[in-house]
């Protein structure tokens, strides 16, 4: 059963006026938080794809030189000579590394902006606002 109680002096919330600028900061923080979560999900997917490409590179090293291998291009698999598949794999790995690097940079930028907004918002609102997950 819920019990009602009075708030102590330290728990009381001093009503701080939320200005239009404060609301904009809160909205910006929320947008950055959502964007950061999406970037982290995408980054995790790309890291798994990178791991799969690394495993493929190991497998291709063990294949015979004269053997045709199946290599995925988009949604289809194509038969390719081993040297061509290895060259294609190197290109795919470098492209993926660049995408991972870009996403990591974007994630760091979001984090930096969020930390700056947290400082401003906590300075004004204190415990009246919760910006942690």
């Amino acid at each position: 059963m819920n019990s009602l109680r009075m708030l102590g002096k330290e728990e009381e919330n001093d009503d701080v006026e939320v200005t239009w600028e404060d609301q904009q900061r809160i909205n910006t923080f929320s947008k950055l938080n959502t964007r950061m979560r999406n970037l982290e999900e995408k980054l995790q997917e790309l890291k798994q794809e990178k791991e799969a490409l690394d495993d493929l590179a190991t497998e291709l090293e063990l294949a015979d030189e004269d053997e045709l291998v199946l290599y995925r291009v988009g949604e289809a698999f194509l038969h390719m000579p081993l040297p061509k598949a290895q060259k294609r794999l190197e290109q795919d790995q470098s492209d993926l590394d660049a995408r991972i690097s870009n996403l990591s940079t974007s994630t760091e930028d979001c984090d930096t902006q969020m930390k700056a907004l947290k400082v401003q918002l906590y300075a004004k609102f204190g415990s009246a606002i919760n910006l942690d997950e």
Side-chain angles (χ1 to χ4, degrees):
M1 187 177 242
N2 291 347
S3 63
L4 298 176
R5 64 181 179 87
M6 297 285 292
L7 290 177
K9 274 287 190 199
E10 63 279 349
E11 294 177 320
E12 272 186 35
N13 185 5
D14 293 337
D15 289 332
V16 178
E17 183 180 333
V18 179
T19 64
W20 185 82
E21 291 85 12
D22 295 331
Q23 189 60 54
Q24 294 304 321
R25 286 186 192 109
I26 293 168
N27 292 346
T28 301
F29 183 87
S30 177
K31 289 176 190 174
L32 287 169
N33 192 27
T34 301
R35 182 170 183 233
M36 183 135 157
R37 286 184 186 188
N38 291 338
L39 288 173
E40 287 173 345
E41 285 178 21
K42 185 66 175 170
L43 192 58
Q44 197 62 26
E45 290 172 14
L46 290 179
K47 285 181 179 179
Q48 289 176 349
E49 189 175 334
K50 171 78 171 141
E51 193 173 305
L53 288 179
D54 290 343
D55 291 345
L56 177 61
T58 303
E59 289 294 321
L60 287 180
E61 288 175 5
L62 301 174
D64 291 333
E65 222 24 72
D66 303 332
E67 193 176 330
L68 284 178
V69 295
L70 284 173
Y71 194 86
R72 188 174 115 195
V73 179
E75 297 295 319
F77 286 89
L78 302 176
H79 286 281
M80 288 185 184
L82 182 62
K84 186 175 181 180
Q86 287 174 323
K87 192 174 207 177
R88 178 73 186 240
L89 178 62
E90 288 174 9
Q91 179 185 358
D92 289 348
Q93 285 177 319
S94 67
D95 291 347
L96 193 57
D97 286 338
R99 289 173 55 199
I100 288 172
S101 176
N102 287 341
L103 278 179
S104 294
T105 302
S106 295
T107 302
E108 290 169 6
D109 290 344
C110 281
D111 189 47
T112 302
Q113 292 176 37
M114 286 172 61
K115 284 179 181 176
L117 286 170
K118 269 186 181 183
V119 167
Q120 293 173 350
L121 292 170
Y122 277 133
K124 180 163 185 179
F125 297 106
S127 63
I129 190 167
N130 183 11
L131 301 174
D132 296 321
E133 298 190 31

